Amino acid sequence: VQLQASGGGVVQAGDSLRLSCAVSGRTEDIYAVGWFRQATGREREFVAAFSWNGGPALDADSVKGRFTISADSAKKMVYLQMNSLILDDTAVYYCAASINWSGSYSPGYGYWGRGTLVTVSS
């Protein structure tokens, strides 16, 4: 399984941005996809996750009501719609996939893509 995140960029506080994650390879093995982020000097942080079959979904409290995770299974794409961006959202964002439900537990994700940088300026 391979994942590639894209869509990052420089935006102003209050703006919106949509990240995309292309999933390829043995996608039939995947149960869930998640988004994580890592800011400079900080630990990797869970953002959101959902399961392909309409099962569990989870958002971090820090993004609840602002970010939405969704997918187009036919295109094998996962999206992270980010609204009302704030300075603390500045980070490298990664998409990851797991073969079972891992929620916010990052070691449970066995497949990771290269990140995409989101910079929020004031």
Side-chain angles (χ1 to χ4, degrees), residues 34-57:
W35 285 96
F36 292 79
R37 67 186 182 185
Q38 187 166 19
T40 302
R42 295 186 180 181
E43 298 287 323
R44 184 165 55 194
E45 176 188 22
F46 168 75
V47 177
F50 86 116
S51 48
W52 281 115
N53 64 0

Side-chain angles (χ1 to χ4, degrees), residues 24-37:
S24 60
R26 289 183 58 86
T27 57
E28 62 270 23
D29 292 343
I30 296 173
Y31 180 82
V33 176
W35 285 96
F36 292 79
R37 67 186 182 185

